[in-house]
Structures are given as C-alpha cells and as structure tokens.
Amino acid sequence: MAWGLHSFHCTSTPILRLPFSGPNKLNNFFCDVPQVIKLACTDTFVVELLMVSSSGLLTLLCFLGLLASYAVILCHAQGHSSEGKNKALSMCTTHIIIVFLVFGPAIFIYTRLFRAFPADQVVSLFHMVIFPLMNPVIYTFHNKEVKASVRRLLSHHMVC
C-alpha cells in the first residue's frame, strides 16, 4: 500500500495523508479533489466533510453574495429612467446567467459528499468545458455591433 500520491501536488494536507493503492482509475475526464479523495483506501468521511464545509460553503456563499449584489443593483435601478433600467436589467441578466453557469455545477460538485451520481460526468463536462466556452459567446452577443450584424445576417437569410 502506497502512502500518498507521488505525482499529485496539493496544498491540502488532509488529502496528502490519505493512503492510496490499487488501480487508481478515475471515472471522469479531469482530476479534481473529489475524484482524488475517491481513490483513497480508507474511510474518507472526515476529509469529505472538511471539503464540503470549506469549498462547498465558500462556493455557496460567493454565489449568494453575487446574487444579492445584483438584486441591490436592480433595486437601485428602479428609481432611474426607463433607459437606465433597461440597460441595468440587460447587463445584470447577462451577468446572472454567467453566475448560474459557473456556480451551478460548482455547487453540485462541492456541496455534497463525494458519492457517485449518474450526472457527475455530465456536470463536470459542462463545468470544465461547455460553460467556460459559452462565457465569451454570451458577452459577444451582448455587444451592440454583434447584435446588429446577427440581425442583418438573419434578416438577409430570412428574405432570400
């Protein structure tokens, strides 16, 4: 039985002290702390509880803090002109979508004990690949010039 991962560099001491042995295969396409903990040859309940209480709680608090800040911005925009309200609503809507895309899967991954669920690989794929690729696309379509170009392109193809 090996004591620790030789090629795994991590600042998290509880993980480095776990015993690892066996095939060391992950049923996922990327290696993250929950997957490494699953490879341990011992009861990992305490380490999982530490991870959920630190990473999961921090992720959840950041998510709620961001949503609260957008709620405050939208409440303050209520007293302004309709153009100002529309601009604030448009910007906040885009940001809130990004916040949900980034924090939704992170909350799913880090706020529960590390038991396998059928959706784990799909959530991981979206969290690590799909949503980060969507972020620039969403902000690109927020640009007025891009919107105008897309409208012209669509109207040209709709008429033809």
Side-chain angles (χ1 to χ4, degrees), residues 8-65:
F8 181 70
H9 301 288
C10 183
T11 58
S12 184
T13 307
I15 296 170
L16 291 177
R17 294 187 182 162
L18 289 173
F20 296 94
S21 67
N24 294 335
K25 291 183 181 177
L26 296 173
N27 189 17
N28 214 321
F29 71 95
F30 77 102
C31 183
D32 195 11
V33 173
Q35 286 80 29
V36 172
I37 290 174
K38 288 177 189 175
L39 295 175
C41 304
T42 187
D43 182 25
T44 59
F45 179 76
V46 174
V47 176
E48 291 178 39
L49 204 53
L50 286 170
M51 289 299 301
V52 168
S53 65
S54 63
S55 298
L57 185 61
L58 185 62
T59 302
L60 189 59
L61 289 175
C62 289
F63 174 71
L64 294 175

Short mmCIF file of all heavy atoms in Angstrom, two decimals, residues 8-65:
data_model
loop_
_atom_site.label_atom_id
_atom_site.label_comp_id
_atom_site.label_asym_id
_atom_site.label_seq_id
_atom_site.Cartn_x
_atom_site.Cartn_y
_atom_site.Cartn_z
N PHE A 8 1.03 13.89 -7.32
CA PHE A 8 -0.05 14.80 -7.01
C PHE A 8 0.46 15.87 -6.07
O PHE A 8 0.82 15.61 -4.94
CB PHE A 8 -1.21 14.03 -6.38
CG PHE A 8 -2.39 14.88 -6.03
CD1 PHE A 8 -3.16 15.41 -7.04
CD2 PHE A 8 -2.72 15.13 -4.72
CE1 PHE A 8 -4.26 16.19 -6.74
CE2 PHE A 8 -3.81 15.91 -4.42
CZ PHE A 8 -4.58 16.44 -5.43
N HIS A 9 0.51 17.10 -6.56
CA HIS A 9 0.96 18.22 -5.74
C HIS A 9 -0.26 19.00 -5.30
O HIS A 9 -1.00 19.52 -6.12
CB HIS A 9 1.90 19.13 -6.53
CG HIS A 9 3.10 18.40 -7.02
ND1 HIS A 9 4.09 17.99 -6.18
CD2 HIS A 9 3.44 17.97 -8.26
CE1 HIS A 9 5.01 17.36 -6.88
NE2 HIS A 9 4.63 17.33 -8.15
N CYS A 10 -0.45 19.09 -3.99
CA CYS A 10 -1.62 19.77 -3.47
C CYS A 10 -1.27 20.38 -2.13
O CYS A 10 -0.50 19.82 -1.37
CB CYS A 10 -2.76 18.77 -3.31
SG CYS A 10 -4.27 19.53 -2.76
N THR A 11 -1.83 21.52 -1.85
CA THR A 11 -1.56 22.18 -0.57
C THR A 11 -2.48 21.69 0.51
O THR A 11 -2.34 22.08 1.66
CB THR A 11 -1.73 23.71 -0.72
OG1 THR A 11 -3.06 23.97 -1.18
CG2 THR A 11 -0.71 24.27 -1.68
N SER A 12 -3.42 20.84 0.17
CA SER A 12 -4.37 20.33 1.15
C SER A 12 -3.78 19.14 1.88
O SER A 12 -3.75 18.03 1.39
CB SER A 12 -5.67 19.95 0.44
OG SER A 12 -6.61 19.54 1.38
N THR A 13 -3.31 19.36 3.09
CA THR A 13 -2.63 18.34 3.89
C THR A 13 -3.49 17.12 4.17
O THR A 13 -2.99 16.00 4.09
CB THR A 13 -2.12 18.96 5.21
OG1 THR A 13 -1.34 20.10 4.89
CG2 THR A 13 -1.29 17.97 5.99
N PRO A 14 -4.80 17.25 4.51
CA PRO A 14 -5.58 16.03 4.78
C PRO A 14 -5.62 15.07 3.60
O PRO A 14 -5.65 13.86 3.80
CB PRO A 14 -6.98 16.57 5.09
CG PRO A 14 -6.78 17.97 5.53
CD PRO A 14 -5.58 18.46 4.78
N ILE A 15 -5.59 15.58 2.40
CA ILE A 15 -5.63 14.71 1.22
C ILE A 15 -4.30 13.99 1.05
O ILE A 15 -4.24 12.82 0.71
CB ILE A 15 -5.99 15.51 -0.03
CG1 ILE A 15 -7.39 16.06 0.11
CG2 ILE A 15 -5.89 14.64 -1.28
CD1 ILE A 15 -7.77 17.05 -0.94
N LEU A 16 -3.20 14.69 1.29
CA LEU A 16 -1.88 14.08 1.12
C LEU A 16 -1.62 12.97 2.14
O LEU A 16 -0.81 12.09 1.88
CB LEU A 16 -0.79 15.15 1.23
CG LEU A 16 -0.74 16.14 0.07
CD1 LEU A 16 0.33 17.20 0.34
CD2 LEU A 16 -0.45 15.43 -1.23
N ARG A 17 -2.31 13.00 3.23
CA ARG A 17 -2.11 11.97 4.27
C ARG A 17 -2.98 10.74 4.07
O ARG A 17 -2.88 9.79 4.84
CB ARG A 17 -2.39 12.59 5.64
CG ARG A 17 -1.37 13.63 5.99
CD ARG A 17 -1.53 14.11 7.38
NE ARG A 17 -0.54 15.14 7.64
CZ ARG A 17 -0.60 16.00 8.61
NH1 ARG A 17 -1.59 15.95 9.46
NH2 ARG A 17 0.33 16.91 8.77
N LEU A 18 -3.81 10.74 3.05
CA LEU A 18 -4.66 9.58 2.79
C LEU A 18 -3.84 8.46 2.15
O LEU A 18 -2.96 8.72 1.34
CB LEU A 18 -5.80 9.96 1.84
CG LEU A 18 -6.89 10.86 2.40
CD1 LEU A 18 -7.85 11.27 1.29
CD2 LEU A 18 -7.66 10.18 3.52
N PRO A 19 -4.16 7.20 2.49
CA PRO A 19 -3.47 6.08 1.84
C PRO A 19 -4.11 5.78 0.48
O PRO A 19 -5.32 5.72 0.35
CB PRO A 19 -3.70 4.92 2.81
CG PRO A 19 -4.96 5.27 3.52
CD PRO A 19 -5.03 6.78 3.58
N PHE A 20 -3.27 5.61 -0.53
CA PHE A 20 -3.73 5.30 -1.87
C PHE A 20 -3.07 4.02 -2.35
O PHE A 20 -1.88 3.82 -2.16
CB PHE A 20 -3.39 6.43 -2.85
CG PHE A 20 -4.07 7.73 -2.55
CD1 PHE A 20 -3.44 8.70 -1.78
CD2 PHE A 20 -5.34 7.97 -3.01
CE1 PHE A 20 -4.06 9.88 -1.49
CE2 PHE A 20 -5.99 9.16 -2.72
CZ PHE A 20 -5.34 10.12 -1.96
N SER A 21 -3.84 3.13 -2.98
CA SER A 21 -3.29 1.93 -3.61
C SER A 21 -4.31 1.44 -4.61
O SER A 21 -5.41 1.96 -4.70
CB SER A 21 -3.01 0.86 -2.56
OG SER A 21 -4.22 0.40 -1.99
N GLY A 22 -3.96 0.45 -5.36
CA GLY A 22 -4.90 -0.11 -6.32
C GLY A 22 -4.74 0.46 -7.71
O GLY A 22 -3.72 1.05 -8.04
N PRO A 23 -5.78 0.33 -8.53
CA PRO A 23 -5.67 0.70 -9.94
C PRO A 23 -5.61 2.22 -10.16
O PRO A 23 -5.13 2.65 -11.19
CB PRO A 23 -6.94 0.12 -10.56
CG PRO A 23 -7.90 -0.02 -9.43
CD PRO A 23 -7.07 -0.27 -8.21
N ASN A 24 -6.09 3.03 -9.23
CA ASN A 24 -6.04 4.49 -9.34
C ASN A 24 -6.63 5.00 -10.65
O ASN A 24 -6.03 5.78 -11.37
CB ASN A 24 -4.62 5.03 -9.17
CG ASN A 24 -4.11 4.78 -7.78
OD1 ASN A 24 -4.88 4.65 -6.84
ND2 ASN A 24 -2.80 4.72 -7.64
N LYS A 25 -7.82 4.55 -10.96
CA LYS A 25 -8.51 5.00 -12.17
C LYS A 25 -9.72 5.83 -11.75
O LYS A 25 -10.47 5.46 -10.86
CB LYS A 25 -8.98 3.81 -13.01
CG LYS A 25 -7.83 3.06 -13.62
CD LYS A 25 -8.34 1.94 -14.49
CE LYS A 25 -7.15 1.19 -15.09
NZ LYS A 25 -7.60 0.05 -15.88
N LEU A 26 -9.87 6.94 -12.45
CA LEU A 26 -11.00 7.82 -12.20
C LEU A 26 -12.04 7.65 -13.29
O LEU A 26 -11.70 7.51 -14.46
CB LEU A 26 -10.54 9.28 -12.18
CG LEU A 26 -9.59 9.68 -11.08
CD1 LEU A 26 -9.10 11.10 -11.28
CD2 LEU A 26 -10.26 9.54 -9.72
N ASN A 27 -13.30 7.67 -12.90
CA ASN A 27 -14.37 7.60 -13.87
C ASN A 27 -14.81 9.02 -14.22
O ASN A 27 -15.95 9.41 -14.03
CB ASN A 27 -15.54 6.79 -13.32
CG ASN A 27 -16.58 6.50 -14.37
OD1 ASN A 27 -16.31 6.61 -15.56
ND2 ASN A 27 -17.76 6.12 -13.94
N ASN A 28 -13.87 9.82 -14.68
CA ASN A 28 -14.13 11.20 -15.04
C ASN A 28 -13.05 11.64 -16.02
O ASN A 28 -12.02 10.99 -16.14
CB ASN A 28 -14.12 12.10 -13.80
CG ASN A 28 -15.10 13.25 -13.90
OD1 ASN A 28 -15.25 13.83 -14.97
ND2 ASN A 28 -15.77 13.56 -12.80
N PHE A 29 -13.25 12.77 -16.68
CA PHE A 29 -12.27 13.20 -17.67
C PHE A 29 -11.29 14.22 -17.13
O PHE A 29 -10.40 14.65 -17.84
CB PHE A 29 -12.96 13.73 -18.93
CG PHE A 29 -13.65 15.04 -18.74
CD1 PHE A 29 -13.00 16.22 -19.06
CD2 PHE A 29 -14.93 15.09 -18.23
CE1 PHE A 29 -13.63 17.43 -18.88
CE2 PHE A 29 -15.56 16.30 -18.06
CZ PHE A 29 -14.90 17.47 -18.38
N PHE A 30 -11.44 14.65 -15.86
CA PHE A 30 -10.46 15.53 -15.26
C PHE A 30 -10.26 15.14 -13.80
O PHE A 30 -11.09 14.47 -13.21
CB PHE A 30 -10.86 17.01 -15.39
CG PHE A 30 -11.94 17.45 -14.43
CD1 PHE A 30 -11.60 18.17 -13.30
CD2 PHE A 30 -13.26 17.17 -14.67
CE1 PHE A 30 -12.58 18.59 -12.42
CE2 PHE A 30 -14.25 17.59 -13.80
CZ PHE A 30 -13.90 18.30 -12.67
N CYS A 31 -9.14 15.52 -13.26
CA CYS A 31 -8.77 15.14 -11.90
C CYS A 31 -8.96 16.35 -10.98
O CYS A 31 -8.29 17.36 -11.13
CB CYS A 31 -7.32 14.67 -11.89
SG CYS A 31 -6.80 14.08 -10.28
N ASP A 32 -9.87 16.23 -10.05
CA ASP A 32 -10.15 17.28 -9.09
C ASP A 32 -10.13 16.64 -7.70
O ASP A 32 -10.12 15.41 -7.57
CB ASP A 32 -11.51 17.91 -9.41
CG ASP A 32 -11.73 19.23 -8.72
OD1 ASP A 32 -10.78 19.78 -8.14
OD2 ASP A 32 -12.87 19.72 -8.75
N VAL A 33 -10.16 17.43 -6.68
CA VAL A 33 -10.05 16.93 -5.31
C VAL A 33 -11.09 15.86 -5.00
O VAL A 33 -10.73 14.81 -4.45
CB VAL A 33 -10.11 18.10 -4.30
CG1 VAL A 33 -10.16 17.58 -2.88
CG2 VAL A 33 -8.91 19.01 -4.50
N PRO A 34 -12.37 16.04 -5.35
CA PRO A 34 -13.32 14.95 -5.06
C PRO A 34 -12.94 13.62 -5.71
O PRO A 34 -13.11 12.56 -5.10
CB PRO A 34 -14.65 15.48 -5.63
CG PRO A 34 -14.52 16.95 -5.58
CD PRO A 34 -13.07 17.23 -5.86
N GLN A 35 -12.42 13.67 -6.93
CA GLN A 35 -12.03 12.42 -7.59
C GLN A 35 -10.82 11.79 -6.92
O GLN A 35 -10.73 10.57 -6.82
CB GLN A 35 -11.74 12.68 -9.08
CG GLN A 35 -12.96 12.90 -9.93
CD GLN A 35 -13.50 14.31 -9.81
OE1 GLN A 35 -12.77 15.24 -9.58
NE2 GLN A 35 -14.79 14.45 -9.96
N VAL A 36 -9.87 12.60 -6.49
CA VAL A 36 -8.68 12.07 -5.81
C VAL A 36 -9.07 11.44 -4.48
O VAL A 36 -8.59 10.36 -4.12
CB VAL A 36 -7.61 13.17 -5.61
CG1 VAL A 36 -6.47 12.68 -4.73
CG2 VAL A 36 -7.09 13.64 -6.95
N ILE A 37 -9.98 12.07 -3.76
CA ILE A 37 -10.42 11.52 -2.48
C ILE A 37 -11.10 10.17 -2.68
O ILE A 37 -10.94 9.27 -1.86
CB ILE A 37 -11.34 12.53 -1.75
CG1 ILE A 37 -10.51 13.72 -1.28
CG2 ILE A 37 -12.05 11.88 -0.57
CD1 ILE A 37 -11.30 14.84 -0.66
N LYS A 38 -11.82 10.00 -3.79
CA LYS A 38 -12.48 8.72 -4.07
C LYS A 38 -11.48 7.57 -4.23
O LYS A 38 -11.82 6.42 -4.06
CB LYS A 38 -13.32 8.82 -5.35
CG LYS A 38 -14.57 9.64 -5.20
CD LYS A 38 -15.29 9.73 -6.54
CE LYS A 38 -16.42 10.71 -6.49
NZ LYS A 38 -17.06 10.90 -7.79
N LEU A 39 -10.23 7.89 -4.57
CA LEU A 39 -9.21 6.85 -4.78
C LEU A 39 -8.61 6.34 -3.47
O LEU A 39 -7.89 5.35 -3.48
CB LEU A 39 -8.08 7.40 -5.65
CG LEU A 39 -8.44 7.77 -7.08
CD1 LEU A 39 -7.24 8.40 -7.78
CD2 LEU A 39 -8.93 6.55 -7.84
N ALA A 40 -8.87 6.99 -2.36
CA ALA A 40 -8.26 6.61 -1.09
C ALA A 40 -8.74 5.24 -0.63
O ALA A 40 -9.88 4.85 -0.88
CB ALA A 40 -8.55 7.65 -0.03
N CYS A 41 -7.86 4.54 0.06
CA CYS A 41 -8.15 3.18 0.54
C CYS A 41 -8.58 3.19 2.00
O CYS A 41 -8.22 2.30 2.77
CB CYS A 41 -6.91 2.30 0.41
SG CYS A 41 -6.26 2.22 -1.23
N THR A 42 -9.31 4.18 2.40
CA THR A 42 -9.75 4.29 3.78
C THR A 42 -11.06 5.06 3.82
O THR A 42 -11.53 5.56 2.80
CB THR A 42 -8.67 5.00 4.64
OG1 THR A 42 -9.05 4.95 6.00
CG2 THR A 42 -8.48 6.43 4.22
N ASP A 43 -11.63 5.14 4.99
CA ASP A 43 -12.86 5.92 5.16
C ASP A 43 -12.51 7.40 5.03
O ASP A 43 -11.66 7.92 5.74
CB ASP A 43 -13.48 5.64 6.53
CG ASP A 43 -14.77 6.38 6.74
OD1 ASP A 43 -15.43 6.72 5.74
OD2 ASP A 43 -15.13 6.63 7.91
N THR A 44 -13.15 8.08 4.10
CA THR A 44 -12.81 9.48 3.81
C THR A 44 -13.90 10.44 4.28
O THR A 44 -13.90 11.60 3.88
CB THR A 44 -12.59 9.66 2.30
OG1 THR A 44 -13.78 9.27 1.62
CG2 THR A 44 -11.39 8.87 1.81
N PHE A 45 -14.79 9.98 5.15
CA PHE A 45 -15.91 10.81 5.56
C PHE A 45 -15.46 12.14 6.16
O PHE A 45 -15.99 13.20 5.82
CB PHE A 45 -16.79 10.05 6.57
CG PHE A 45 -17.96 10.86 7.05
CD1 PHE A 45 -19.07 11.05 6.22
CD2 PHE A 45 -17.95 11.45 8.30
CE1 PHE A 45 -20.14 11.81 6.65
CE2 PHE A 45 -19.02 12.22 8.73
CZ PHE A 45 -20.12 12.39 7.91
N VAL A 46 -14.46 12.13 7.03
CA VAL A 46 -13.99 13.36 7.69
C VAL A 46 -13.38 14.31 6.66
O VAL A 46 -13.66 15.52 6.68
CB VAL A 46 -12.98 13.03 8.81
CG1 VAL A 46 -12.38 14.30 9.39
CG2 VAL A 46 -13.65 12.21 9.90
N VAL A 47 -12.57 13.79 5.73
CA VAL A 47 -11.96 14.63 4.71
C VAL A 47 -13.04 15.20 3.79
O VAL A 47 -13.00 16.38 3.42
CB VAL A 47 -10.91 13.84 3.90
CG1 VAL A 47 -10.34 14.67 2.77
CG2 VAL A 47 -9.81 13.34 4.81
N GLU A 48 -14.02 14.39 3.43
CA GLU A 48 -15.12 14.87 2.60
C GLU A 48 -15.90 15.96 3.32
O GLU A 48 -16.27 16.97 2.71
CB GLU A 48 -16.06 13.71 2.24
CG GLU A 48 -15.45 12.71 1.30
CD GLU A 48 -16.39 11.56 1.01
OE1 GLU A 48 -17.60 11.80 0.86
OE2 GLU A 48 -15.92 10.42 0.92
N LEU A 49 -16.14 15.76 4.61
CA LEU A 49 -16.85 16.76 5.40
C LEU A 49 -16.07 18.07 5.46
O LEU A 49 -16.66 19.16 5.33
CB LEU A 49 -17.09 16.22 6.80
CG LEU A 49 -18.24 16.79 7.60
CD1 LEU A 49 -19.53 16.71 6.83
CD2 LEU A 49 -18.36 16.07 8.93
N LEU A 50 -14.75 17.98 5.58
CA LEU A 50 -13.91 19.18 5.55
C LEU A 50 -13.99 19.89 4.21
O LEU A 50 -14.08 21.12 4.14
CB LEU A 50 -12.45 18.83 5.85
CG LEU A 50 -12.11 18.50 7.29
CD1 LEU A 50 -10.69 17.93 7.39
CD2 LEU A 50 -12.24 19.74 8.16
N MET A 51 -13.97 19.12 3.12
CA MET A 51 -14.04 19.71 1.79
C MET A 51 -15.40 20.38 1.56
O MET A 51 -15.47 21.49 1.02
CB MET A 51 -13.81 18.64 0.71
CG MET A 51 -12.40 18.15 0.64
SD MET A 51 -11.22 19.43 0.25
CE MET A 51 -11.83 19.99 -1.30
N VAL A 52 -16.48 19.72 1.97
CA VAL A 52 -17.81 20.29 1.79
C VAL A 52 -17.96 21.55 2.64
O VAL A 52 -18.48 22.56 2.18
CB VAL A 52 -18.91 19.26 2.13
CG1 VAL A 52 -20.28 19.91 2.22
CG2 VAL A 52 -18.92 18.15 1.08
N SER A 53 -17.46 21.50 3.87
CA SER A 53 -17.62 22.66 4.75
C SER A 53 -16.73 23.82 4.33
O SER A 53 -17.07 24.97 4.59
CB SER A 53 -17.35 22.27 6.21
OG SER A 53 -16.01 21.88 6.37
N SER A 54 -15.63 23.56 3.67
CA SER A 54 -14.78 24.67 3.23
C SER A 54 -15.10 25.07 1.79
O SER A 54 -15.63 26.15 1.54
CB SER A 54 -13.29 24.31 3.37
OG SER A 54 -12.96 23.22 2.54
N SER A 55 -14.84 24.21 0.84
CA SER A 55 -15.06 24.54 -0.58
C SER A 55 -16.54 24.73 -0.90
O SER A 55 -16.91 25.69 -1.57
CB SER A 55 -14.50 23.44 -1.47
OG SER A 55 -13.12 23.33 -1.29
N GLY A 56 -17.36 23.83 -0.44
CA GLY A 56 -18.79 23.91 -0.73
C GLY A 56 -19.43 25.14 -0.12
O GLY A 56 -20.18 25.85 -0.77
N LEU A 57 -19.11 25.40 1.14
CA LEU A 57 -19.69 26.55 1.82
C LEU A 57 -19.20 27.85 1.19
O LEU A 57 -19.98 28.78 0.98
CB LEU A 57 -19.35 26.50 3.31
CG LEU A 57 -19.98 27.58 4.17
CD1 LEU A 57 -21.50 27.49 4.11
CD2 LEU A 57 -19.49 27.47 5.59
N LEU A 58 -17.91 27.91 0.87
CA LEU A 58 -17.36 29.10 0.24
C LEU A 58 -18.00 29.35 -1.13
O LEU A 58 -18.36 30.48 -1.47
CB LEU A 58 -15.85 28.98 0.11
CG LEU A 58 -15.11 30.19 -0.42
CD1 LEU A 58 -15.29 31.37 0.51
CD2 LEU A 58 -13.64 29.88 -0.59
N THR A 59 -18.17 28.30 -1.91
CA THR A 59 -18.81 28.42 -3.22
C THR A 59 -20.24 28.91 -3.09
O THR A 59 -20.67 29.82 -3.80
CB THR A 59 -18.78 27.06 -3.95
OG1 THR A 59 -17.43 26.63 -4.08
CG2 THR A 59 -19.42 27.15 -5.32
N LEU A 60 -20.97 28.33 -2.16
CA LEU A 60 -22.36 28.72 -1.95
C LEU A 60 -22.47 30.16 -1.46
O LEU A 60 -23.32 30.93 -1.94
CB LEU A 60 -23.02 27.77 -0.95
CG LEU A 60 -24.53 27.89 -0.78
CD1 LEU A 60 -25.25 27.66 -2.10
CD2 LEU A 60 -25.01 26.91 0.27
N LEU A 61 -21.61 30.57 -0.54
CA LEU A 61 -21.63 31.94 -0.04
C LEU A 61 -21.28 32.96 -1.12
O LEU A 61 -21.90 34.02 -1.21
CB LEU A 61 -20.70 32.09 1.16
CG LEU A 61 -21.17 31.42 2.45
CD1 LEU A 61 -20.11 31.53 3.54
CD2 LEU A 61 -22.50 31.99 2.92
N CYS A 62 -20.30 32.64 -1.95
CA CYS A 62 -19.96 33.54 -3.07
C CYS A 62 -21.12 33.67 -4.04
O CYS A 62 -21.46 34.77 -4.50
CB CYS A 62 -18.72 33.02 -3.82
SG CYS A 62 -17.20 33.21 -2.90
N PHE A 63 -21.77 32.56 -4.35
CA PHE A 63 -22.93 32.56 -5.24
C PHE A 63 -24.05 33.43 -4.67
O PHE A 63 -24.58 34.30 -5.37
CB PHE A 63 -23.41 31.11 -5.43
CG PHE A 63 -24.68 30.98 -6.21
CD1 PHE A 63 -24.71 31.23 -7.57
CD2 PHE A 63 -25.86 30.59 -5.59
CE1 PHE A 63 -25.88 31.10 -8.31
CE2 PHE A 63 -27.03 30.45 -6.31
CZ PHE A 63 -27.04 30.71 -7.67
N LEU A 64 -24.38 33.23 -3.40
CA LEU A 64 -25.44 34.02 -2.78
C LEU A 64 -25.06 35.49 -2.67
O LEU A 64 -25.92 36.37 -2.87
CB LEU A 64 -25.79 33.44 -1.40
CG LEU A 64 -26.40 32.04 -1.42
CD1 LEU A 64 -26.58 31.51 -0.01
CD2 LEU A 64 -27.71 32.03 -2.19
N GLY A 65 -23.79 35.78 -2.39
CA GLY A 65 -23.32 37.16 -2.34
C GLY A 65 -23.45 37.86 -3.68
O GLY A 65 -23.87 39.02 -3.76
#
